[in-house]
Amino acid sequence: IMLPSSNLKLDVKRTNPSTIEFVVSRSDPLLTSFDRVILLYLLLLIPLRVYAYTHLEDTLSEPISDVLPLSIERLLLGVPLSIFLVRVFLKLRSIKSESLLVVEGFGVQLCSRTFLGSSKRQFISTDRIEALIINEGITFHTVIFYMAIIVKEKQQMILVFENLRPRLPILEAVYKQAARLVNVEGAQSAS
């Protein structure tokens, strides 16, 4: 399922009748158009700088450092390079995909993966699951739907797809199939 106005995609993998995995992933590229513009700027500026220092030094009556002060040169190269590196670093550390693996009679596993490939997993056995719900959170200007697992003897719910926050149609598609396999009394939708 891919929503037209969303950059999230849902893949459903059923390995056998009692096991199903739901993977919500980003479909946006690693480099945005803004990142590409900065990269193009840097790729053009660095060779021009090298050319100016190697070939134009002899033809100018003054040294290049007098024509273009070092502070401006560092600013022209350093600021875009810093912005580019910080943006790429943050993107690589951000969540690329989140999954919910449901094994009937055994439990569920939540997994988050970054663009670098590192992952964080959490397992919840079926006997600890009290309910699987779709709920809504209200902020100052938006309503956010989320799927949560209510765990017995735990104060807080565990959010499914916590970082990517897919829209309601994706959550409903996941809920319909996952609730049957979790088979918990009180599995309900609170939306």
Side-chain angles (χ1 to χ4, degrees), residues 78-165:
V79 171
L81 181 61
S82 299
I83 291 171
F84 178 76
L85 291 176
V86 166
R87 287 178 57 87
V88 169
F89 175 75
L90 291 175
K91 181 72 173 211
L92 288 174
R93 296 203 54 208
S94 67
I95 300 297
K96 180 181 181 178
S97 68
E98 291 183 297
S99 65
L100 169 67
L101 176 67
V102 183
V103 181
E104 187 176 17
F106 192 63
V108 299
Q109 177 178 285
L110 306 172
C111 180
S112 298
R113 289 183 184 84
T114 65
F115 279 92
L116 285 174
S118 63
S119 62
K120 177 182 147 194
R121 300 176 192 275
Q122 180 179 12
F123 179 77
I124 307 160
S125 63
T126 303
D127 59 329
R128 293 181 52 220
I129 298 174
E130 190 174 314
L132 178 65
I133 62 168
I134 293 178
N135 207 355
E136 58 191 26
I138 301 171
T139 66
F140 290 110
H141 53 80
T142 57
V143 176
I144 300 169
F145 291 95
Y146 60 90
M147 183 179 293
I149 300 171
I150 298 176
V151 180
K152 294 175 185 171
E153 301 173 8
K154 203 165 186 191
Q155 292 294 325
Q156 293 184 335
M157 299 181 285
I158 297 174
L159 299 181
V160 180
F161 312 124
E162 178 179 9
N163 297 289
L164 297 181
R165 296 189 196 135

Side-chain angles (χ1 to χ4, degrees), residues 156-182:
Q156 293 184 335
M157 299 181 285
I158 297 174
L159 299 181
V160 180
F161 312 124
E162 178 179 9
N163 297 289
L164 297 181
R165 296 189 196 135
R167 294 192 178 170
L168 187 57
I170 290 178
L171 293 175
E172 288 173 335
V174 171
Y175 176 81
K176 286 176 187 174
Q177 296 180 54
R180 275 187 282 128
L181 288 179
V182 171

